[in-house]
Each structure stands twice: as C-alpha cells, then as structure tokens.
Amino acid sequence: MRYLIDNFGRKIDYLRISVTEACNLSCLYCKPEDNFIHKGSSELLSFEEILRVINAACSLGITKVRLTGGEPLARENLFFLISSILEIPQVRDFSLTTNGVLLKDYVPKLKSKGLKRINVSLDTLSSDKFKYITRTDYFNDVISGIEASLAAGLLVKLNVVVMKGINDNEIFNFVRFAQAKKIILRFIELMPLGRAGFGMAGEPDRNLFFDNLKYVPNFEVRKRLEYLGKVTPCYGFASGPAAYYRIAGFSHLIGFISAMSEKFCYNCNRLRLSGDGAILPCLGSSFRVDLKAALRKGAGDKEIAGLITKAVRFKPMEHSLREEDKLPYCAMSEVGG
Ligand code: SAM
C-alpha cells in the first residue's frame, strides 16, 4: 500500500471531484443567477478522463472519493461514473454531495449500487426563504430527496451554511428537524469564495457579502444553541473537518465545519479535481495543476500520477482565505465544495 504524504506530514488519501460547474440552483452566496458561464462539455473532463485520474490517484494512496459540483446529479449519465468508481477496489469510501433536487429518483439506483451515505446541502426549512436563497422553487423536491434517502436507509448528513440575517434564525429549527429525522446536522461557516468572495464575472460583491455582514462564526452558533441545552464537545467523534458537539437533551450530535474561525488545515487530507480538469491541493489557494491538458496530449498513467504528486508537493500548510490579497477568484461550484 502506498501513501501520499505532503510536505507537512499530512497523509493525503481523499479526492473530491467536481463533475460539473452547472447547478440547478443559483444560491446567492455561490454564483450569480444569469451571468455564470458554464463550461461546454468538451471543457469538462469526460468520465473516462475522470476515471483515469481516480485510478492514478489510487495508485498513489487515495482511498476516499467524493463527487460534488456544481450539482453532480445534474451531469448526464452520472450513474455510469458512480458505478465505475464503485468498482475500483482501492476506493474504500465513496460518497456524494448534492443539493437534493434530483435525489429522489436517484436513491433506488444509488442504494442498489451499495451507496451507504450521502451529504445534502439545505440552508433553510422555509420554502419561501428557499426561493430567496436559491432563486428557484425546488424546496419540496429537496425534502422529498431527503425523505427518500432516509426511507432507503442511507445515512444523511445535512450541511447548512449559516448567514446572518438570512437563516441564522433557523438554527434551532434545524437542530429539531435533524433530531426528528435522525440526520447528522452540520453547520458550515460561510467562506469568501464565489459571490461571497470577490464575486464573479465582474460582480465584486465581497464587501457587501463577506466582510462580517453575513458571516457567522460557529462559536457564535454554539453560543446560541446553549439556549436549547448545554453544548459540550465530543472529542472522540472527529471525522473529517467537522468538530462534533452534543446538546444536552438531544440524542444526535451536531457537527461544525469552521474553516474560517477554527482552521482545520493541520488535519487536511484532501485534493480536489475541478470540473475542467485541474488538481487543486487546497480550496483556499489559487495553485492548480492542469491535468486535462496532459490527458489530452496523451500522457500515460505515470505522468498523470506525477502531476498529482506535484500538486501534493505544493499543498500549503494552511489556506489563505483570511488574506484578502490571496483569495482565489473562484466559486465552490467550480472547484467542488
Ligand atoms: N450542489 C452540491 C450541493 O449543493 O451540495 C455540491 C456543490 S456545493 C458548491 C457544495 C457546498 O458548498 C454546499 O453545501 C454549499 O452550500 C457550499 N458552499 C458554496 N459556496 C460556499 C461559500 N462561499 N462558503 C461556504 N460554503 C459554500
């Protein structure tokens, strides 16, 4: 078994893949409604190319793969890719992050292929607010997708980006919803990326959106949750970037992903593959290695593995999302949140 170790001694075993930048939602902190230029299908890596990258990454020590986007389920024939990934023996852990809009119809197929868990993003439990945040009317579809996943026995993690004055008045509702449905709830801090960062395509929204006007640090969310019951950390339950806490009187733990206020970079085990074929060693830096060009010039598997190793060598010690002059000019939809 090979291991991929970066310059800071971190074991890199997780590859997150954005299969498309297209999304059926236009969340106001993520991407503009109209002027988002989708890359044409020839600009995206084909499934065959993605599988070559995964195989090369696995030959180096990657064992965990997650598909994301954009909206992964919006990419045509995604099930072919999922089935192929699930057949790669080195991939011991596979999952998917989705907004849930198209999930309901996918659940039986995913379940039949052995998928055990899924992450769903949903920032409000109000259908009206859903329209405001996502600029679409798919709230009921998302809820149906969550219900279908639970009914099929999938473990559901629900990711909520908390924003001041938008949905921070719903944190108690989310806790109660997650308890009632037996869902693992995770509160995510808003990051200065996409519209919440420098904006996109000439829309510099950063001052409007990120500069502490909408950002809520997770320690503040926990302070507010004390109203429901004493909140205590569960150190033994660490998994990925989330820190888990228990609220007295509630059976389910709550996760907090605090990229801004409680950096977890020391523990980062990730590489990202963007929809257009670049390997990014860190979400919060602009460094990328173009694999697509190499793939399309006929690079062999060793060369692809070499480029992945190069990206790992350039993995920074920590992200620079707090440093204005170093912010990457991209959205999570491009690099896969
Ligand atoms: N469409 C899928 C979904 O909704 O889960 C996958 C892609 S989406 C970009 C992944 C996650 O990134 C979502 O939970 C979304 O809320 C989150 N996200 C997007 N922009 C963000 C930002 N600026 N800060 C924090 N989270 C962000």
Side-chain angles (χ1 to χ4, degrees), residues 66-78:
R66 174 178 295 275
L67 298 187
T68 173
E71 174 47 35
L73 298 182
R75 177 141 178 196
E76 226 177 317
N77 294 327
L78 187 78

Side-chain angles (χ1 to χ4, degrees), residues 104-163:
K104 187 176 169 203
D105 293 339
Y106 256 99
V107 166
K109 289 206 271 182
L110 293 172
K111 179 77 184 163
S112 74
K113 273 287 164 186
L115 193 85
K116 296 199 170 48
R117 56 196 179 77
I118 194 146
N119 288 8
V120 181
S121 308
L122 177 65
D123 297 329
T124 178
L125 294 171
S126 142
S127 60
D128 280 341
K129 206 184 288 177
F130 186 90
K131 278 186 208 155
Y132 170 67
I133 295 174
T134 70
R135 296 174 282 197
T136 69
D137 202 5
Y138 296 128
F139 178 74
N140 290 332
D141 300 274
V142 179
I143 296 294
S144 305
I146 293 174
E147 303 274 6
S149 304
L150 293 169
L154 294 181
L155 177 77
V156 177
K157 286 185 185 166
L158 188 66
N159 292 333
V160 181
V161 177
V162 180
M163 291 164 283

Side-chain angles (χ1 to χ4, degrees), residues 4 24 42 61 70 104 111 116 129 193-194 234 243-244 246 252 264 277 313:
L4 203 48
N24 37 13
S42 65
K104 187 176 169 203
K111 179 77 184 163
K116 296 199 170 48
K129 206 184 288 177
L193 291 166
C234 289
Y244 283 89
R246 185 181 301 287
H252 267 54
F264 38 78
R313 274 206 311 273

Side-chain angles (χ1 to χ4, degrees), residues 279-290:
I279 287 276
L280 287 81
C282 172
L283 181 64
S285 100
S286 299
F287 183 80
R288 39 174 75 207
V289 175
D290 184 0

